[in-house]
Amino acid sequence: MDKPKINISFTLIAAVVGFMIAIQFQTVKKPVERDTRDVWQLREALLKEKELQSNLLSEIRSNEEKLSAYESKRKQSKEQTLRDTLDELKMEAGLTEVTGPGITLMIEPVVEDIKLGYPVTKVVSPELLKRLVNELNMYEAKYVAIDGQRIINTTVIRDINRETKIDGHSIRSLPIEVNVGVDSINTAEKLSNRMKVSKSRDEFFTESLRLNVSEANPNVSIPAYDNPIRIKYMEPIKEGGGS
């Protein structure tokens, strides 16, 4: 074998051996990292993971309870709104007793006519009472009761066998008390002043009756309407919206 060829072969073998030694040295220098923790360290890490899991579950449970409470409050709010609406409708319909600012009117016979021997009026005509109610409504009256009878939108005041009746209740004797409720004490004061110079007072006086008007009162009681309310031309809607 020629000497140059031997040198080349030797060089190649040396290069391969050197490369292998370099790789082995690098592997020894940087060994594969392994978990060198002992059993107690592993248990401690596991406990921390379990504690984190427990905290997450507690937070989820807390949020679920908050959502449940919110949903319950929302349902209660709807129910309360319905109750409030029902109470408001009952009050507007006159089915609730009301106490608040207002005035009291007294219908009495004229004393002067009694002293002079004139016939005393014992009956108040339906027309006088209707005009009185209309005038009260014109002056912002909100609730009216005549002789303890609540006046509502369907109230009928009429003469039956020479007897004035309010929804079947007979007006038979004097004096007659008329209670009127309004929104505020200021409105009650205005109503009192207006009724003292009202047209109704003159109309009652021509019938030998006096309409006395009280001052504004912060606590006037108006009874609830206690007769059945008859509704015509209305039918309940069946479930699903059909008639």
Side-chain angles (χ1 to χ4, degrees):
M1 184 177 292
D2 295 337
K3 189 175 181 178
K5 290 181 178 180
I6 293 173
N7 290 336
I8 293 172
S9 298
F10 180 79
T11 301
L12 290 174
I13 292 171
V16 171
V17 172
F19 180 73
M20 291 177 65
I21 292 172
I23 291 175
Q24 186 176 4
F25 178 77
Q26 187 72 16
T27 303
V28 173
K29 186 178 180 181
K30 294 183 179 180
V32 177
E33 293 184 1
R34 295 182 179 179
D35 194 342
T36 60
R37 294 177 296 178
D38 59 20
V39 175
W40 292 106
Q41 288 175 326
L42 292 174
R43 287 181 178 178
E44 184 178 354
L46 181 60
L47 288 175
K48 287 182 179 179
E49 291 296 329
K50 286 185 176 181
E51 184 179 357
L52 177 61
Q53 184 181 15
S54 177
N55 291 337
L56 289 174
L57 290 174
S58 297
E59 187 174 350
I60 291 172
R61 193 177 299 110
S62 175
N63 289 332
E64 287 177 346
E65 290 175 355
K66 289 179 181 178
L67 288 173
S68 178
Y70 173 78
E71 185 66 19
S72 178
K73 286 182 179 179
R74 191 171 66 87
K75 290 180 179 179
Q76 290 177 1
S77 177
K78 286 184 178 180
E79 292 175 359
Q80 186 62 44
T81 300
L82 290 174
R83 291 193 190 98
D84 293 343
T85 302
L86 179 60
D87 291 341
E88 184 179 346
L89 291 174
K90 288 174 68 176
M91 181 172 288
E92 290 181 359
L95 301 178
T96 305
E97 182 179 357
V98 180
T99 299
I103 63 172
T104 299
L105 311 176
M106 295 296 295
I107 303 173
E108 302 173 330
V110 175
V111 178
E112 292 82 352
D113 288 352
I114 296 175
K115 290 181 178 180
L116 293 174
Y118 291 109
V120 178
T121 302
K122 295 182 180 180
V123 178
V124 180
S125 68
E127 288 73 20
L128 278 178
L129 293 180
K130 290 178 185 177
R131 290 172 191 165
L132 175 62
V133 172
N134 289 337
E135 189 163 17
L136 289 170
N137 290 333
M138 185 174 62
Y139 293 147
E140 300 182 55
K142 197 167 185 180
Y143 316 106
V144 179
I146 300 175
D147 199 30
Q149 298 298 302
R150 180 73 171 267
I151 306 299
I152 63 173
N153 292 334
T154 59
T155 292
V156 176
I157 303 175
R158 57 184 174 180
D159 184 299
I160 299 179
N161 296 328
R162 297 184 180 180
E163 211 173 57
T164 299
K165 292 194 175 185
I166 301 176
D167 288 336
H169 172 76
S170 299
I171 305 295
R172 295 176 178 173
S173 61
L174 299 174
I176 299 171
E177 185 176 86
V178 180
N179 291 324
V180 186
V182 293
D183 287 328
S184 66
I185 193 65
N186 290 334
T187 304
E189 291 173 355
K190 292 178 182 178
L191 178 61
S192 176
N193 293 333
R194 287 171 175 171
M195 292 306 298
K196 287 176 181 178
V197 293
S198 67
K199 184 179 179 181
S200 291
R201 292 193 75 188
D202 296 335
E203 292 176 343
F204 273 88
F205 194 76
T206 58
E207 297 292 331
S208 296
L209 296 169
R210 178 170 280 114
L211 183 66
N212 293 319
V213 182
S214 74
E215 299 297 328
N217 184 345
N219 296 302
V220 174
S221 294
I222 314 294
Y225 186 79
D226 58 1
N227 293 316
I229 298 178
R230 295 179 176 84
I231 301 176
K232 297 181 179 180
Y233 314 115
M234 293 180 67
E235 296 180 358
I237 297 177
K238 295 182 180 179
E239 187 175 354
S243 59

Coordinates of all heavy atoms in Angstrom, one line a residue, residues 95 152 154 167 225-231:
L95 N -112.0 49.2 44.7 CA -112.2 48.0 45.5 C -111.3 48.0 46.8 O -111.3 47.0 47.5 CB -111.9 46.7 44.7 CG -112.7 46.5 43.5 CD1 -112.3 45.3 42.7 CD2 -114.2 46.5 43.8
I152 N -118.1 54.7 41.9 CA -117.1 54.3 40.9 C -117.7 54.6 39.5 O -118.8 55.1 39.4 CB -116.7 52.8 41.1 CG1 -118.0 51.9 40.8 CG2 -116.2 52.6 42.4 CD1 -117.7 50.5 40.8
T154 N -119.0 52.7 37.3 CA -120.3 52.0 37.0 C -121.4 52.4 37.9 O -122.5 51.8 37.8 CB -120.0 50.5 36.9 OG1 -119.6 50.1 38.2 CG2 -119.0 50.2 35.9
D167 N -126.7 52.6 43.6 CA -126.4 51.2 43.4 C -127.2 50.4 44.4 O -126.7 49.4 45.0 CB -124.9 50.9 43.6 CG -124.0 51.4 42.5 OD1 -124.5 51.6 41.4 OD2 -122.8 51.7 42.7
Y225 N -115.6 49.9 47.5 CA -116.9 49.5 46.9 C -117.2 48.1 47.2 O -116.4 47.2 47.0 CB -116.7 49.7 45.4 CG -118.0 49.5 44.6 CD1 -119.0 50.5 44.5 CD2 -118.3 48.3 43.9 CE1 -120.2 50.3 43.8 CE2 -119.4 48.1 43.2 CZ -120.4 49.1 43.2 OH -121.6 48.9 42.5
D226 N -118.4 47.8 47.8 CA -118.7 46.5 48.3 C -119.8 45.8 47.5 O -120.2 44.7 48.0 CB -119.1 46.5 49.8 CG -120.3 47.5 50.0 OD1 -120.8 48.0 49.1 OD2 -120.6 47.6 51.2
N227 N -120.2 46.3 46.4 CA -121.2 45.6 45.6 C -120.5 44.9 44.4 O -119.4 45.2 44.0 CB -122.1 46.6 44.9 CG -123.0 47.3 46.0 OD1 -123.5 46.7 46.9 ND2 -123.1 48.6 45.9
P228 N -121.1 43.8 43.9 CA -120.5 43.1 42.8 C -120.4 44.0 41.6 O -121.3 44.7 41.3 CB -121.4 41.9 42.6 CG -122.7 42.3 43.2 CD -122.4 43.2 44.3
I229 N -119.3 43.9 40.9 CA -119.1 44.6 39.6 C -119.5 43.8 38.4 O -118.9 42.7 38.2 CB -117.6 45.1 39.5 CG1 -117.3 46.1 40.6 CG2 -117.4 45.8 38.2 CD1 -115.9 46.6 40.6
R230 N -120.4 44.2 37.7 CA -120.9 43.4 36.5 C -120.2 44.0 35.3 O -120.3 45.1 35.0 CB -122.4 43.5 36.4 CG -123.1 42.8 37.5 CD -124.7 42.9 37.4 NE -125.4 42.2 38.4 CZ -125.6 42.8 39.6 NH1 -125.2 44.0 39.9 NH2 -126.3 42.1 40.5
I231 N -119.5 43.1 34.6 CA -118.8 43.5 33.3 C -119.5 42.9 32.1 O -119.7 41.6 32.0 CB -117.4 43.0 33.4 CG1 -116.7 43.6 34.6 CG2 -116.6 43.4 32.1 CD1 -115.3 43.1 34.8

